Amino acid sequence: MKKEKTENTENKILDAAKNIFEVKGMNGARMQEIADAAGINKAMLHYYYRSKQLLFEAVFKNAFSLLAPQLNAILNNDDSIEEKIRSFTHNYISFIAKHPYIPNFVIQELNRNPKFIEKIQQADAFPSLDKFNAQVEKEVEDGILKPIDGKQLFVHIVSLNIFPFVAKPLIKGFLKLDDKDFQELLEQRKIDVAEFIINSIKK
Amino acid sequence: MKKEKTENTENKILDAAKNIFEVKGMNGARMQEIADAAGINKAMLHYYYRSKQLLFEAVFKNAFSLLAPQLNAILNNDDSIEEKIRSFTHNYISFIAKHPYIPNFVIQELNRNPKFIEKIQQADAFPSLDKFNAQVEKEVEDGILKPIDGKQLFVHIVSLNIFPFVAKPLIKGFLKLDDKDFQELLEQRKIDVAEFIINSIKK
DNA sequence: TAACGGTTTAACCAAACGGTTAACAAAGGT
DNA sequence: ACCTTTGTTAACCGTTTGGTTAAACCGTTA
């Protein structure tokens, strides 16, 4: 039937485009390459998405919308800061292991065109730090945490969790690790990173 | 005189290429753009560097050779771990503020072509972690530090220091900061990051 | 001053690129 | 049966790309 065909082709395109764009970026990706990966004619890309730019934006928004809920989870639930750090660290590293190209893709493309973040900021699920900041402030007052700024703590958390994925070749090089060693390092970090953070901030 | 002219042109090319490549990457940069920025004819690029690839590699090695000594400083001097963390954090953030495009450039291009790191590993000044690891082990034994793996500590340190530069647009977006706010956040991190790490690992 | 070498330029080239077109096929409605 | 809409293809198009070429430029030297 028509409808099924349509959805199939559209999804095949988006899926192929995702794989190519996430690895090669906007500048490195070729429309012909995406068409080949999707097993269709190049003209179909334009039929469904009009231009490379629009196809790319569709892929980018998809990738970003996978990332955002992970952050929202830590920012807006009712756990204590300590629990949030533990669960986020564990979940995030597991999540990225399933989507290894997303962090680098998002960061690379946001650096290429920083205005993208403004477009996305207006979207529904864009994470807000307000609750997290207030919660840190309260736990500091209550004597649960040592004095610390919520924003800096947030940057600490995302840095420790995301950077190893973004800088994988660099870290593999410095530490002289093969792929297996690196995987084990990440596995160990699911525990170590949370301990490391909590160790530092808890009274 | 001939020699001076040569050096001038060669340097003008390398300088222009650096500015363009570091911002746009290998795929985003255009030879014509580099020639324009250098104020010379496009053919000169090929006269001096033969191909885009070779010009790019010259730029990349230059950038990497600025980064490496920063790491060697922390890894191979005779300070205590605590002193190393303090000086590295302070110096590194200052250093990158002067060369803001380098971390992202190096990481982006290493992800595009992970084999680059192998070429560079054979170079003279490539940092080695051996001394740092041994030192961490010793300070743990001596009861100065809580038990921690040197490799993980190293990843913690570089993550906390480098990631904010790489993910600048992302962090600006999440924290709703303008450029001035972000600059202040980085300035504050020169102190906060070292405190944060030491807080966690010192007995 | 004429010949030489390294340097620089304008013009050119083939390939690759994103995008368009026109014709055709398949499906649905009437 | 016929027309309309939607989906698909091959061939094509203009532009941009990295790279080349042949000739000119210019200080040096014999």
Side-chain angles (χ1 to χ4, degrees):
Chain A
M1 302 147 198
K2 231 188 277 174
K3 208 58 196 299
E4 274 184 26
K5 261 193 188 174
T6 302
E7 287 179 353
N8 270 336
T9 304
E10 211 168 329
N11 281 348
K12 272 197 291 185
I13 292 174
L14 210 59
D15 208 52
K18 193 195 83 181
N19 291 333
I20 307 274
F21 275 131
E22 286 187 0
V23 174
K24 307 204 169 184
M26 170 69 172
N27 284 329
R30 301 286 157 242
M31 293 298 267
Q32 186 61 59
E33 200 182 359
I34 295 172
D36 291 347
I40 52 146
N41 190 289
K42 186 169 61 111
M44 296 303 287
L45 302 180
H46 295 94
Y47 180 75
Y48 283 100
Y49 292 91
R50 278 186 49 206
S51 70
K52 187 185 184 184
Q53 178 65 23
L54 288 176
L55 175 56
F56 170 79
E57 285 180 22
V59 169
F60 185 83
K61 280 173 191 163
N62 263 15
F64 198 89
S65 73
L66 282 176
L67 218 49
Q70 300 286 326
L71 287 165
N72 272 327
I74 172 179
L75 294 173
N76 291 323
N77 70 16
D78 289 324
D79 292 344
S80 69
I81 294 291
E82 176 173 348
E83 285 166 333
K84 279 180 172 174
I85 291 168
R86 282 190 207 282
S87 67
F88 176 76
T89 297
H90 195 274
N91 292 340
Y92 189 85
I93 295 180
S94 297
F95 166 74
I96 295 301
K98 281 184 217 143
H99 307 270
Y101 294 112
I102 284 190
N104 197 55
F105 171 64
V106 169
I107 285 171
Q108 184 184 331
E109 298 299 331
L110 280 183
N111 272 305
R112 195 176 58 82
N113 183 5
K115 286 173 193 166
F116 259 7
I117 197 99
E118 293 165 20
K119 282 189 196 172
I120 297 166
Q121 261 175 341
Q122 294 146 11
D124 343 287
F126 192 84
S128 161
L129 269 175
D130 296 339
K131 181 168 178 176
F132 181 79
N133 277 330
Q135 195 182 357
V136 169
E137 209 169 316
K138 183 168 180 307
E139 291 200 15
V140 169
E141 275 174 27
D142 293 351
I144 300 171
L145 302 180
K146 295 179 193 163
I148 189 165
D149 176 42
K151 286 178 182 174
Q152 294 285 1
L153 178 56
F154 177 76
V155 176
H156 293 340
I157 294 171
V158 294
S159 296
L160 288 164
N161 278 297
I162 303 179
F163 186 75
F165 293 97
V166 175
K168 175 175 171 180
L170 202 63
I171 290 175
K172 277 178 64 180
F174 282 149
L175 268 53
K176 292 172 190 152
L177 307 178
D178 59 25
D179 264 310
K180 190 171 142 278
D181 294 334
F182 185 76
Q183 228 45 52
E184 283 170 16
L185 184 92
L186 289 182
E187 194 58 35
Q188 186 61 37
R189 285 183 78 76
K190 285 187 194 173
I191 303 155
D192 285 5
V193 166
E195 288 306 316
F196 179 76
I197 298 170
I198 291 160
N199 237 337
S200 181
I201 62 175
K202 215 179 176 194
K203 241 182 184 161
Chain B
M1 301 146 198
K2 233 186 278 178
K3 208 57 195 299
E4 273 183 26
K5 261 194 189 174
T6 301
E7 286 178 356
N8 269 338
T9 303
E10 211 168 329
N11 282 348
K12 273 196 292 185
I13 292 175
L14 209 59
D15 208 53
K18 193 195 82 183
N19 290 333
I20 307 274
F21 275 132
E22 285 187 359
V23 174
K24 308 205 169 182
M26 170 70 172
N27 285 328
R30 300 288 158 242
M31 292 298 266
Q32 187 60 59
E33 201 182 358
I34 294 172
D36 291 346
I40 51 146
N41 190 290
K42 186 170 62 110
M44 296 302 288
L45 302 180
H46 295 93
Y47 179 75
Y48 283 100
Y49 291 92
R50 279 185 50 204
S51 70
K52 186 185 184 185
Q53 179 65 25
L54 289 176
L55 175 56
F56 171 79
E57 285 179 23
V59 169
F60 186 83
K61 281 173 190 163
N62 264 15
F64 198 88
S65 72
L66 282 176
L67 217 51
Q70 300 285 326
L71 287 166
N72 271 327
I74 173 178
L75 295 172
N76 291 323
N77 71 16
D78 287 326
D79 293 344
S80 69
I81 295 290
E82 177 173 348
E83 286 166 331
K84 279 180 173 176
I85 289 168
R86 282 191 206 282
S87 66
F88 176 76
T89 298
H90 195 274
N91 291 340
Y92 190 83
I93 295 180
S94 297
F95 167 75
I96 294 300
K98 282 186 216 141
H99 307 271
Y101 294 112
I102 284 190
N104 197 54
F105 171 65
V106 169
I107 285 171
Q108 183 185 334
E109 296 301 331
L110 279 182
N111 273 305
R112 196 175 57 82
N113 183 5
K115 286 173 193 164
F116 258 9
I117 197 99
E118 293 165 20
K119 282 189 195 171
I120 297 166
Q121 262 175 341
Q122 294 146 10
D124 342 288
F126 193 83
S128 161
L129 269 174
D130 295 340
K131 180 168 180 177
F132 181 78
N133 276 331
Q135 194 181 357
V136 169
E137 209 168 316
K138 183 168 180 304
E139 291 200 15
V140 170
E141 277 174 27
D142 292 353
I144 300 170
L145 301 180
K146 296 180 192 163
I148 189 165
D149 176 42
K151 285 179 182 173
Q152 294 285 1
L153 177 57
F154 177 76
V155 176
H156 293 340
I157 293 171
V158 295
S159 296
L160 288 164
N161 279 297
I162 302 179
F163 186 75
F165 292 97
V166 175
K168 175 175 171 180
L170 202 61
I171 290 176
K172 277 179 64 181
F174 282 150
L175 268 52
K176 292 171 190 153
L177 306 179
D178 58 25
D179 264 309
K180 190 172 141 277
D181 293 335
F182 185 76
Q183 228 46 51
E184 285 169 16
L185 184 93
L186 290 183
E187 193 58 34
Q188 186 62 37
R189 284 183 79 77
K190 286 186 192 173
I191 303 155
D192 286 4
V193 166
E195 288 306 317
F196 179 76
I197 299 169
I198 290 161
N199 237 338
S200 180
I201 63 174
K202 216 178 175 193
K203 240 181 187 163

